Every structure is written in structure tokens, then in C-alpha cells.
């Protein structure tokens, strides 16, 4: 079959490095290990915006949204850096299937690759709904299941980190706990141990519960909006760190909330347009399964957190 894009083949999986923008600093440290365990040579890119934005402006229209400029600039800058063998490098971007850049700017990336003479580099549009076909990047049910658990653990770590970090007595202790938990998830919880959500969530909660905190009153500041800008330190110019320095508490919704929204789109497609019956049924099962996991974690939070942390949570 002929495609109007360069396909990432099974042979490429064995030899190619796949570059991905680092949107979620905590979650992607967990997903990185999962993908590498299944044979994908993944690298999540970390850059300073000031070093890459000019490349984004050069190879994309200046009225394109800011996240697209950043990602395009990051990709082109990486390919020009000399750090990678561009003949054996691929780029990866997710597609949700909606009308936003999350689906559309894979095409902007390919246009930028063409304009910068890197048109031979595969740009992979990753979508669970199969918008594009890339035989070298097939996500098996076990990879998807493990990724779901990884996202849930990432959400829990992120939310507790944001909750405790502004109140820590010993500076840097919360960051050490975060790094230790990510290392534990990636090195010590192999096989089916990874799916013991009660045990692992209790481990995470108790680790943050052990941090000594103060009872100062702080203003809560929610970070909302476009998903890349909400989570990416590069996209929001290190907004979380700034708010903590300004003596505020950061509040962010978990990534799984966005995943649930995407899942429910399939349910609504059938409800409103009578299309995708089987897909809608699978989406309902997935949604109920995820909610069940989230409820288990919420119960554990209420049962484990001691009085000092509960006081903070109630503020």
C-alpha cells in the first residue's frame, strides 16, 4: 500500500532512535522505561526555548500556535545538532483525532522536515485510533495496559509532589522522594508486580507522607489550558518552579483526566452519530476500568495520609 508519508517499518524499530518532545517531566520518565523494555529506542528531548524557538519560527508559519513552534523547533534543532545519525532517527508525535494541533501538526512537522532538507526522516503520528499506520510502532495490549498504570502512578506522584513541595521543611527532600519513587517504579517493579495498584499507590503515598512539612497558609494557583502548555516546563517557561518560589501551591489535573476525555469521545461518537459501535463499547469498558483504579488510589490517600497532610489537603 502506498502512503503519503514516510512509514516507520519493523526494520526501523531495530536500528532507529525515536525523538519525542518531553511534555510531562514525571510521567515520561516512567513511560520511557516501559517503551525501552519493549525494544523502542526512545529519547525525550529537553531544551531551552531560547535555543530552539528560532528554528520553529523559521520552519513554521508565524501564526501557528506556540506549542507547535516549540515542538517543530525542537525537532529541527535536534536533527541539526550533529548528536544523532539522521539516517537512523525518527520523530514521534501523538494524534488525538480532534481538530486541534494534537492531530494536525504532524503534517506541519513533515512540512518543516521537507523545508529543512530532512524529508527522509520519518515523522510518526501515534494514535490509538489508527489514524496512521506504522508497523514499527505497534503498541500491544500489554504495553497499553502498562502505560495506563504508568500514567496513573505519574498522576499520583505529580499531584502529591505539588501538594507537599511548597510546605517542605527540609529543602529538596520532596525532589529526592520523587526521584526515588520513579527509580523504584522503573527498576524494582517488573512483570505483574507493576499492576498491584493498591500496594504501589500505598508505597507512593507513604513516601510523600514521610516528608516533614510546615503549616503555613499558601495561595493555591491552578495551571489550566492547552495540554502542552499546562504540563511542559519548556512550554510554560517553568511556571511551576516560579509559583513555588512565589510561595504558592501549584494545582494541576492529572493526565488521565485528558485520557478519559479522549476515551469518552468514542462513546459520544456512537451516541450522537451512530458510528463505531464496537469502539464505543470498548471505550466504555476502558473508562470504567480506569475509574475503578482511580477510586482505589483515592481511598488509599484518605486512609494513609496522616493528620498534618490532611490539614493541607483540606485547605
Amino acid at each position: 500500500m502506498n502512503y503519503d508519508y514516510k512509514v516507520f517499518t519493523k526494520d526501523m524499530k531495530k536500528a532507529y532512535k525515536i525523538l519525542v518532545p518531553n511534555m510531562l517531566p514525571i510521567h515520561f520518565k516512567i513511560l520511557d522505561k516501559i517503551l525501552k523494555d519493549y525494544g523502542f529506542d526512545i529519547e525525550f528531548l529537553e531544551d531551552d526555548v531560547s535555543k530552539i524557538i528560532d528554528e520553529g519560527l523559521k520552519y513554521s508559519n508565524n501564526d501557528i500556535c506556540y506549542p507547535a513552534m516549540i515542538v517543530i523547533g525542537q525537532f529541527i534543532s535536534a536533527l541539526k545538532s550533529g548528536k544523532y545519525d539522521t539516517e537512523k532517527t525518527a520523530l514521534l508525535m501523538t494524534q488525538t483525532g480532534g481538530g486541534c494541533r494534537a492531530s494536525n501538526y504532524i503534517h506541519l512537522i513533515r512540512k518543516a522536515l521537507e523545508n529543512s532538507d530532512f524529508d527522509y526522516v520519518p515523522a510518526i503520528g501515534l494514535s490509538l485510533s489508527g489514524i496512521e499506520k506504522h508497523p514499527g510502532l505497534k503498541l500491544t495490549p500489554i504495553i497499553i495496559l502498562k502505560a495506563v498504570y504508568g500514567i496513573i502512578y505519574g498522576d499520583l506522584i505529580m499531584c502529591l509532589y505539588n501538594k507537599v513541595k511548597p510546605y517542605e521543611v527540609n529543602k529538596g527532600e520532596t525532589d529526592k522522594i520523587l526521584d526515588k519513587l520513579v527509580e523504584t517504579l522503573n527498576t524494582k517493579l517488573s512483570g505483574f508486580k507493576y499492576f498491584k495498584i493498591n500496594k504501589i499507590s500505598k508505597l507512593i503515598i507513604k513516601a510523600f507522607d514521610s516528608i516533614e512539612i510546615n503549616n503555613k497558609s499558601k495561595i493555591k494557583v491552578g495551571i489550566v489550558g492547552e495540554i502542552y502548555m499546562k504540563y511542559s516546563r519548556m512550554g510554560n517557561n517553568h511556571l511551576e518552579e516560579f509559583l513555588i518560589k512565589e510561595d504558592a501551591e501549584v494545582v494541576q489535573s492529572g493526565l488521565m483526566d485528558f485520557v478519559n476525555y479522549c476515551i469518552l469521545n468514542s462513546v459520544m461518537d456512537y451516541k450522537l452519530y451512530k458510528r463505531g459501535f464496537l469502539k464505543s463499547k470498548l471505550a466504555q469498558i476502558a473508562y470504567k476500568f480506569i475509574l475503578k483504579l482511580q477510586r482505589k488510589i483515592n481511598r488509599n490517600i484518605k486512609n494513609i495520609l496522616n493528620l498534618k497532610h490532611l490539614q493541607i489537603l483540606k485547605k
Side-chain angles (χ1 to χ4, degrees):
M1 182 179 291
N2 292 323
Y3 297 96
D4 59 356
Y5 54 87
K6 190 170 181 62
V7 176
F8 187 75
T9 66
K10 291 181 180 179
D11 290 336
M12 289 178 179
K13 177 185 175 182
K14 301 172 185 176
Y16 274 58
K17 178 177 285 293
I18 303 173
L19 305 182
V20 187
N22 193 348
M23 183 178 74
L24 293 121
I26 296 173
H27 296 71
F28 281 8
K29 287 178 182 177
I30 299 170
L31 296 178
D32 174 70
K33 182 62 166 57
I34 293 172
L35 292 170
K36 284 178 177 174
D37 284 346
Y38 289 93
F40 298 102
D41 185 5
I42 293 281
E43 181 174 333
F44 291 95
L45 296 172
E46 299 275 3
D47 293 283
D48 184 337
V49 170
S50 62
K51 296 179 181 178
I52 66 170
I53 196 63
D54 286 343
E55 295 290 348
L57 286 167
K58 184 176 180 180
Y59 295 108
S60 64
N61 195 305
N62 63 8
D63 64 357
I64 295 299
C65 66
Y66 187 58
M69 283 187 190
I70 294 176
V71 170
I72 290 171
Q74 194 172 39
F75 280 147
I76 301 300
S77 180
L79 294 174
K80 286 184 174 182
S81 68
K83 182 180 176 181
Y84 308 99
D85 178 358
T86 58
E87 295 286 348
K88 292 186 178 180
T89 301
L91 313 178
L92 185 143
M93 198 67 224
T94 55
Q95 291 179 286
T96 61
C100 181
R101 62 163 191 92
S103 288
N104 295 326
Y105 82 80
I106 187 70
H107 307 290
L108 297 175
I109 292 169
R110 290 182 181 134
K111 180 63 175 174
L113 289 173
E114 181 181 336
N115 291 341
S116 58
D117 297 325
F118 289 114
D119 54 307
Y120 54 88
V121 175
I124 307 166
L126 175 62
S127 170
L128 294 180
S129 59
I131 296 174
E132 293 188 356
K133 306 296 182 183
H134 294 278
L137 195 75
K138 285 202 170 181
L139 300 182
T140 63
I142 189 64
I143 296 176
I144 295 172
L145 181 62
K146 198 165 185 180
V148 167
Y149 277 80
I151 291 171
I152 287 176
Y153 297 145
D155 280 350
L156 178 60
I157 292 171
M158 180 188 73
C159 291
L160 290 177
Y161 175 89
N162 287 341
K163 179 59 65 177
V164 175
K165 175 69 176 176
Y167 304 93
E168 64 181 4
V169 172
N170 303 308
K171 297 301 180 185
E173 186 178 4
T174 312
D175 291 280
K176 290 178 181 177
I177 291 293
L178 185 154
D179 292 339
K180 184 178 178 181
L181 287 169
V182 171
E183 181 184 3
T184 299
L185 284 171
N186 288 344
T187 61
K188 297 179 181 179
L189 297 171
S190 58
F192 285 99
K193 292 180 182 177
Y194 203 80
F195 303 120
K196 294 184 177 181
I197 197 161
N198 267 325
K199 183 177 180 180
I200 295 174
S201 62
K202 288 176 182 177
L203 172 72
I204 293 170
I205 296 164
K206 287 179 179 178
F208 281 104
D209 192 53
S210 68
I211 298 171
E212 186 179 356
I213 61 171
N214 59 58
N215 287 316
K216 291 181 180 178
S217 179
K218 296 181 185 287
I219 295 173
K220 289 184 178 181
V221 179
I223 301 178
V224 299
E226 196 277 335
I227 186 169
Y228 182 88
M229 302 299 286
K230 180 165 68 172
Y231 294 118
S232 170
R233 291 171 182 167
M234 188 167 58
N236 62 35
N237 198 23
H238 298 269
L239 180 57
E240 294 163 64
E241 291 95 325
F242 171 77
L243 290 171
I244 291 172
K245 287 179 182 177
E246 292 296 305
D247 215 24
E249 177 190 328
V250 175
V251 180
Q252 288 174 295
S253 59
L255 177 63
M256 193 53 74
D257 292 338
F258 177 78
V259 173
N260 283 339
Y261 144 74
C262 293
I263 290 172
L264 286 175
N265 274 348
S266 297
V267 178
M268 295 307 297
D269 276 348
Y270 181 74
K271 184 176 181 179
L272 296 176
Y273 308 113
K274 303 303 179 186
R275 66 186 185 194
F277 172 77
L278 180 59
K279 190 176 177 182
S280 72
K281 292 300 179 184
L282 292 174
Q284 287 177 354
I285 293 170
Y287 180 68
K288 290 178 181 178
F289 173 70
I290 290 169
L291 285 185
K292 184 178 179 181
L293 296 180
Q294 290 177 319
R295 289 189 185 111
K296 285 183 179 180
I297 288 178
N298 288 336
R299 283 197 298 269
N300 287 335
I301 290 175
K302 292 177 182 178
N303 292 336
I304 294 172
L305 284 183
N306 63 33
L307 182 60
K308 62 183 180 182
H309 289 88
L310 283 174
Q311 287 174 341
I312 292 176
L313 286 170
K314 288 176 181 177
K315 288 181 181 179

